[in-house]
């Protein structure tokens, strides 16, 4: 039955109680937010508002009831759920009844029992409940709020989810058999009464990028969501098997489309916390909606229950397909052998086999085909484009304040026409900012996660930055990007040794869009210690952006600084509250020792010029960046 001929529950509320009731109903997810709270006299002035298309009356127009002047009342539309799920009948309901009368009526069906509602003060006062009335009107009685034209994603998600789930919940409630054995009994009774709980447990916040949304780890996992989603998936499989639905017409396909439209994204995933000990900073995510290409087989709205063998296999595969050793020695970092023989990455799509127990760390370096077979997301911050593969790399939105500081750094530490070394570049969080905004002449960027390297190169092209890229021995390389197409090149040896770099790197390209007057990006995949000879004694700025600590790279930063001019070390570190001063003393003493060894002088001027609090990392632990100015004796004097 269409909404234009079906009456809806409406509460008539005195003006001074409107706010209290609105807050309570919104929290319980019972109020219909698609309809404005309207003065009742305005509604009753239009006879069509209370008359159906067949001529029957849905609520008699009254100016007063039980001694209350209804012309001064506000009408609040409700969703047909919970205690308001059933419309009145001629034998059990009058046109307008107070909440108090309904709560005391023993003939009310269980689904509309108002006595069990835990009303907050002052709504719990029986005297006030006698002045609040329930009636039923047509939806056309209410104007739609103007904000629906710019409805928030959360409001749209709540509304469309309610409309989508209500018919299924009503169907399951009508067909529920408490004596039936099997899956239905395990999942329990699922009816319209759980809809407010489902709506209330929808995710309230998320990370949104251009076409990708990252939901929090608990999204759609709080009860009763797992039971509802399992029932929807089972029903979808039944319809697919019976030929009743296929493709985009399936239940789960329509559910995915609903969430995609509400959140404004083509790809949606649920994230998990990145382990602190994972120095490659690889995410562990669950794809939910969208085309994830090769990784569509990992899409699932439900997670494995503890102890369920089938579910454990699913979760294990989700983790295994991202496995790479974090103990990358120098030989592995630059001389990893691809699994290109036999039925390797080309046939299975990603690496060898996600279920093989013999797969080793040396078998997991991705190939250009792997890069083509995964989904790449993009976002823009402060006019800088970033590209990354959510399945294998993370995007850190929390360090935007530090990116802005680097972009506006000219009055603080001028990087114009300077050489910058980024020892932990990632997808280019700071390397790209130095080139786009700070005016660096060249940025040497080291990164040992191959997926981050690929994202860094793609992001460079997206921003119009020319780049060069070295390659380790026996590593399959990617050629320049031309018209958005990737071309494979033969194996090439580019293993760094203790010598100056060759005249040209293995791979070089110009920008893919209109090129601006940017400096050049030089990318070094693998262990940054193996590439130090390529940029030693050249840098004016060294970014050490690894947390919780970049201390293993301090020696490389000292070695990279120009011995004639010196420069800045930008040291990232997680510091506990109260330990800031002790860390600064430790940092300065450590750097003095390193300069004495690598610059053959203990007379360098080493001073902390600024300490920036970037963000909270954990309770009482903050991510800091310490700007350390280091000058040789000839300049410091």
């Amino acid at each position: 039955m269409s909404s234009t001929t079906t009456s809806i529950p409406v509460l008539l509320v005195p003006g001074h109680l409107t706010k209290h009731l609105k807050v309570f109903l919104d929290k319980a997810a019972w109020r219909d937010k698609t309809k404005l709270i309207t003065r009742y006299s305005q509604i009753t002035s239009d006879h069509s508002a209370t008359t159906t298309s067949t001529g029957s009356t849905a609520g008699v127009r009254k100016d007063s009831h039980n001694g209350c002047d209804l012309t001064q009342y506000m009408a609040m539309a409700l969703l047909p759920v919970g205690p308001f799920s059933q419309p009145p009948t001629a034998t059990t309901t009058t046109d307008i009844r107070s909440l108090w009368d309904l709560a005391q009526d023993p003939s009310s069906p269980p689904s509309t029992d108002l006595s069990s509602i835990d009303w907050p003060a002052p709504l719990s006062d029986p005297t006030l409940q006698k002045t609040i009335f329930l009636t039923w009107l047509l939806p056309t009685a209410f104007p739609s709020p103007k904000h629906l034209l710019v409805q928030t994603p959360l409001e749209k998600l709540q509304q469309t989810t309610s409309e989508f789930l209500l018919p299924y919940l009503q169907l399951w409630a009508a067909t529920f058999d408490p004596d039936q054995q099997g899956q239905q009994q395990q999942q329990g009774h699922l009816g319209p009464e759980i809809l407010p709980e489902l709506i209330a447990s929808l995710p309230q916040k998320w990370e949104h990028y251009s076409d990708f949304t990252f939901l929090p780890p608990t999204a759609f996992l709080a009860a009763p969501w797992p039971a509802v989603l399992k029932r929807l998936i089972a029903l979808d499989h039944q319809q697919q098997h019976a030929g009743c639905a296929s493709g985009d017409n399936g239940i789960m396909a329509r559910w995915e489309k609903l969430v995609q439209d509400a959140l404004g994204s083509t790809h949606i995933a649920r994230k998990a916390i990145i382990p602190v000990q994972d120095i490659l900073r690889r995410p562990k995510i669950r794809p939910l909606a969208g085309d994830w290409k090769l990784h569509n087989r990992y899409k699932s709205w439900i997670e494995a229950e503890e102890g369920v063998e089938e579910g454990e296999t699913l979760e294990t595969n989700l983790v295994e397909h991202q496995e790479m050793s974090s103990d990358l020695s120098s030989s592995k970092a630059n001389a990893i052998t691809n699994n290109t023989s036999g039925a390797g990455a080309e046939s299975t799509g990603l690496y060898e086999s996600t279920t093989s127990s013999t797969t080793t760390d040396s078998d997991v370096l991705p190939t250009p085909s792997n890069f083509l077979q995964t989904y790449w997301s993009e976002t823009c911050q402060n006019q800088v484009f970033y590209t990354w593969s959510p399945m294998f790399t993370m995007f850190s939105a929390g360090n935007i304040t530090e990116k802005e500081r680097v972009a506006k750094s000219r009055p603080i530490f001028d990087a114009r026409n300077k050489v910058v070394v980024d020892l932990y570049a990632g997808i280019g969080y700071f390397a790209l900012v130095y080139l786009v905004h700070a005016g660096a002449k060249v940025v040497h960027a080291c990164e040992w996660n191959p997926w981050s390297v690929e994202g860094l190169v793609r992001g460079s092209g997206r921003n119009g930055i020319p780049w060069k890229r070295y390659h380790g021995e026996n590593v399959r390389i990617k050629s320049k990007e031309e018209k958005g197409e990737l071309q494979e090149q033969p194996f090439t040896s580019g293993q760094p040794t203790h010598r100056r770099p060759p005249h040209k790197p293995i791979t070089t390209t110009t920008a893919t869009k209109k090129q601006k007057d940017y400096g050049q990006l030089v990318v070094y995949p693998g262990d940054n210690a193996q590439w130090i000879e390529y940029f030693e004694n050249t840098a004016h700025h060294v970014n050490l952006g690894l947390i919780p600590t970049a201390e293993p790279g301090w020696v490389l930063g000292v070695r990279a600084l120009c011995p004639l001019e010196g420069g800045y070390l930008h040291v990232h570190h997680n510091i506990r509250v109260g330990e800031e001063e002790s860390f600064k003393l430790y940092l300065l003493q450590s750097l003095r020792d390193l300069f004495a060894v690598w610059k053959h002088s203990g007379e360098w001027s080493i001073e902390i010029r600024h300490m920036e609090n970037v963000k909270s990392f954990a309770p009482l632990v903050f991510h800091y960046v310490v700007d350390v100015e280091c000058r040789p004796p000839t300049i410091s004097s």
Side-chain angles (χ1 to χ4, degrees):
M1 188 177 296
S2 66
S3 61
T4 58
T5 60
T6 303
S7 57
I8 60 173
V10 177
L11 283 180
L12 305 181
V13 193
H16 67 282
L17 295 178
T18 302
K19 183 176 180 180
H20 296 287
L21 192 58
K22 175 180 178 295
V23 171
F24 172 72
L25 294 175
D26 285 349
K27 186 176 181 179
W30 288 342
R31 188 173 73 89
D32 188 348
K33 297 181 180 180
T34 65
K35 297 173 177 59
L36 281 176
I37 300 175
T38 309
R39 189 171 295 278
Y40 182 61
S41 59
Q42 179 181 342
I43 293 177
T44 56
S45 65
D46 183 5
H47 180 73
S48 63
T50 57
T51 305
T52 66
S53 59
T54 60
S56 61
T57 301
V60 178
R61 295 179 298 157
K62 294 183 178 181
D63 293 335
S64 64
H65 188 73
N66 288 355
C68 298
D69 184 8
L70 298 184
T71 61
Q72 302 302 316
Y73 271 50
M74 304 301 293
M76 193 176 300
L78 306 177
L79 294 170
V81 296
F84 312 104
S85 59
Q86 295 187 10
T89 62
T91 57
T92 62
T93 313
T94 59
D95 296 324
I96 299 179
R97 298 187 65 183
S98 70
L99 295 183
W100 176 258
D101 291 339
L102 291 172
Q104 305 305 312
D105 188 356
S107 63
S108 298
S111 61
T112 59
D113 183 13
L114 299 181
S115 62
S116 61
I117 298 179
D118 185 16
W119 297 99
L123 301 175
S124 57
D125 186 348
T127 303
L128 294 181
Q129 289 190 11
K130 293 177 181 179
T131 65
I132 303 174
F133 304 102
L134 176 66
T135 188
W136 293 75
L137 301 174
L138 293 181
T140 53
F142 294 86
S144 297
K146 294 181 180 179
H147 77 271
L148 285 182
L149 299 177
V150 287
Q151 192 176 22
T152 67
L154 177 58
E155 292 172 338
K156 187 173 182 180
L157 179 63
Q158 293 172 335
Q159 176 190 348
T160 54
T161 298
S162 298
E163 296 172 351
F164 180 85
L165 291 180
L166 184 58
Y168 294 105
L169 294 174
Q170 293 172 337
L171 172 65
W172 296 336
T175 58
F176 178 73
D177 183 1
D179 299 327
Q180 184 177 357
Q181 302 294 322
Q183 183 181 18
Q184 188 184 69
Q185 186 185 47
Q186 295 175 0
Q187 295 173 351
H189 177 67
L190 300 178
E193 67 277 2
I194 71 170
L195 186 56
E197 186 178 0
L198 291 169
I199 301 303
S201 61
L202 286 171
Q204 302 294 304
K205 59 182 180 179
W206 47 79
E207 296 177 22
H208 177 73
Y209 305 103
S210 57
D211 59 352
F212 171 56
T213 294
F214 233 163
L215 298 178
T218 58
F220 298 101
L221 293 181
W225 272 110
V228 171
L229 290 170
K230 286 180 182 178
R231 188 75 68 87
L232 288 174
I233 292 171
L235 186 58
D236 181 62
H237 289 168
Q238 292 176 5
Q239 293 185 358
Q240 299 276 0
H241 183 72
C244 301
S246 60
D248 296 338
N249 296 325
I251 295 176
M252 294 309 296
R254 289 188 287 112
W255 166 250
E256 288 187 13
K257 183 67 164 55
L258 177 154
V259 180
Q260 288 171 320
D261 291 344
L263 302 184
S265 296
T266 60
H267 293 73
I268 298 172
R270 181 169 51 228
K271 68 176 180 179
I273 298 175
I274 297 176
V276 176
Q277 65 272 19
D278 186 358
I279 55 180
L280 290 184
R281 307 295 291 160
R282 296 161 300 183
K284 288 180 172 57
I285 71 173
R286 171 67 70 188
L288 298 178
D291 182 12
W292 292 79
K293 298 185 179 180
L294 175 69
H295 308 109
N296 281 332
R297 63 184 184 272
Y298 299 110
K299 289 171 58 177
S300 177
W301 285 89
I302 58 177
E303 295 293 347
E305 297 178 2
E306 187 174 357
V308 180
E309 182 176 353
E310 180 181 357
E312 287 176 351
T313 302
L314 177 66
E315 183 66 22
T316 300
N317 285 346
L318 177 66
V319 177
E320 280 183 353
H321 86 280
Q322 302 176 81
E323 278 301 321
M324 289 183 65
S325 172
S326 59
D327 182 21
L328 294 178
S329 64
S330 60
S331 59
K332 287 182 180 179
N334 297 294
I336 299 178
T337 303
N338 274 288
N339 54 330
T340 55
S341 59
E346 309 296 341
S347 59
T348 60
L350 187 57
Y351 304 130
E352 258 185 328
S353 171
T354 57
T355 58
S356 172
S357 60
T358 59
T359 302
T360 63
D361 297 330
S362 61
D363 296 322
V364 296
L365 194 71
T367 68
S369 295
N370 302 146
F371 294 142
L372 287 172
Q373 293 170 338
T374 193
Y375 161 69
W376 292 88
S377 183
E378 180 183 280
T379 193
C380 183
Q381 279 190 344
N382 198 22
Q383 300 179 333
V384 178
F385 289 94
Y386 300 93
T387 304
W388 77 102
S389 173
M391 292 294 294
F392 299 96
T393 52
M394 61 171 287
F395 179 81
S396 178
N399 57 22
I400 185 173
T401 57
E402 179 63 11
K403 298 176 198 171
E404 292 176 347
R405 194 174 75 95
V406 172
K408 302 174 183 178
S409 62
R410 292 183 182 181
I412 308 171
F413 47 85
D414 195 350
R416 285 176 295 179
N417 297 316
K418 303 294 185 181
V419 176
V420 178
V421 171
D422 192 345
L423 289 172
Y424 308 95
I427 62 172
Y429 299 112
F430 302 108
L432 298 180
V433 177
Y434 272 107
L435 290 164
V436 173
H437 291 301
K441 178 181 179 181
V442 59
V443 173
H444 299 279
C446 300
E447 174 56 42
W448 61 6
N449 185 336
W451 292 92
S452 296
V453 171
E454 179 68 12
L456 173 58
V457 170
R458 289 176 179 236
S460 302
R462 182 68 175 86
N463 286 283
I465 298 172
W467 56 269
K468 297 180 180 180
R469 175 173 167 186
Y470 288 92
H471 296 271
E473 186 177 11
N474 292 332
V475 176
R476 182 183 294 274
I477 70 171
K478 182 177 78 64
S479 73
K480 59 186 177 182
E481 293 181 317
E482 294 180 350
K483 299 180 180 180
E485 296 180 357
L486 303 179
Q487 303 172 353
E488 292 189 12
Q489 297 293 323
F491 286 102
T492 311
S493 175
Q495 174 74 13
T497 58
H498 295 285
R499 56 178 173 79
R500 301 305 301 167
H503 179 64
K504 289 184 178 180
I506 304 302
T507 305
T508 181
T509 187
T510 56
T512 57
K513 72 175 185 179
K514 186 176 180 180
Q515 185 173 343
K516 298 182 180 180
D517 189 19
Y518 294 142
Q520 187 173 58
L521 177 72
V522 184
V523 182
Y524 304 88
D527 187 354
N528 50 21
Q530 302 305 303
W531 297 101
I532 184 63
E533 296 287 337
Y534 280 54
F535 46 78
E536 188 170 15
N537 297 324
T538 64
H540 303 97
H541 293 270
V542 180
N543 193 66
L544 296 122
L546 182 65
I547 55 174
T549 177
E551 186 170 359
W554 294 357
V555 60
L556 301 180
V558 170
R559 294 178 64 182
L561 280 179
C562 177
L564 299 180
E565 302 177 48
Y568 280 85
L569 299 177
H570 306 284
V571 181
H572 294 239
H573 198 87
N574 284 351
I575 305 176
R576 184 170 294 277
V577 173
E579 299 179 357
E580 295 86 353
E581 293 303 318
S582 61
F583 173 75
K584 289 194 289 186
L585 293 175
Y586 173 73
L587 173 62
L588 290 174
Q589 185 57 51
S590 300
L591 293 179
R592 291 189 182 101
D593 294 341
L594 291 173
F595 273 97
V597 174
W598 291 100
K599 298 303 184 185
H600 309 293
S601 173
E603 299 180 2
W604 276 62
S605 172
I606 304 173
E607 302 290 341
I608 293 178
R609 297 304 184 190
H610 182 70
M611 191 169 182
E612 181 76 12
N613 188 333
V614 179
K615 63 179 184 291
S616 173
F617 183 83
L620 300 179
V621 178
F622 289 88
H623 174 184
Y624 281 92
V625 178
V626 184
D627 297 330
V628 185
E629 185 176 11
C630 309
R631 300 299 179 186
T634 55
I635 294 182
S636 60
S637 60

